[in-house]
Amino acid sequence: MSTPAYLPALGRLLIALIFVMSGLSKIAAPANTMAYIQSAGAPFAPAAFAIAVLVELGGGLALLLGFQTRLAATMLAIFTLAAAVLFHNNMADQNQMIHFLKNIAITGGLLQVVAFGAGAFSLDNRRKSVPVPA
């Protein structure tokens, strides 16, 4: 029994969506985002904001397109795990615990992408199949 070729692309789309949307929302409200970063006690809010936008939007789009997929998924996994620890660490608050576990689950999905790659419908796969001129 084989896995349909489109499933990895669908999985990448579903995981990437949260990062792309989050990156765009940060760009739309930079002051609010930096205030939230500061309220969590993270240092250098403007730098953290820039890193978050770059990782979420850049990594999310790379994941979506299947470009440098394993690298993008690795960076997003590290970012998501860090966000869980820094921003969702109040386990006495059920909402924060759910956000923490959501981030852990997303990290697990991203590690699956790291382990198994982008799949057939990806720029990574397309580059492999293009013949190199002699």
Side-chain angles (χ1 to χ4, degrees):
M1 189 185 254
S2 67
T3 303
Y6 62 85
L7 281 181
L10 178 60
R12 289 193 335 266
L13 166 69
L14 295 174
I15 295 172
L17 187 61
I18 194 168
F19 293 104
V20 173
M21 295 302 293
S22 183
L24 291 173
S25 72
K26 284 174 176 56
I27 290 170
N32 292 347
T33 303
M34 285 188 265
Y36 181 65
I37 291 168
Q38 287 175 327
S39 75
F44 310 112
F49 168 78
I51 291 167
V53 169
L54 180 66
V55 170
E56 288 181 336
L57 201 51
L61 289 172
L63 185 67
L64 176 65
L65 297 171
F67 176 73
Q68 296 288 315
T69 310
R70 284 186 161 109
L71 176 62
T74 300
M75 291 177 60
L76 288 166
I78 293 167
F79 176 84
T80 304
L81 194 56
V85 171
L86 288 170
F87 296 100
H88 306 300
N89 55 20
N90 181 3
M91 295 302 146
D93 180 343
Q94 185 177 12
N95 186 45
Q96 288 303 311
M97 182 180 68
I98 290 168
H99 283 296
F100 179 87
L101 292 173
K102 169 202 53 112
N103 281 27
I104 298 303
I106 293 168
T107 300
L110 289 164
L111 292 176
Q112 290 288 309
V113 175
V114 172
F116 297 108
F121 296 112
S122 66
L123 291 177
D124 287 347
N125 190 52
R126 185 172 172 90
R127 290 187 320 181
K128 285 183 209 172
S129 62
V130 174
V132 178

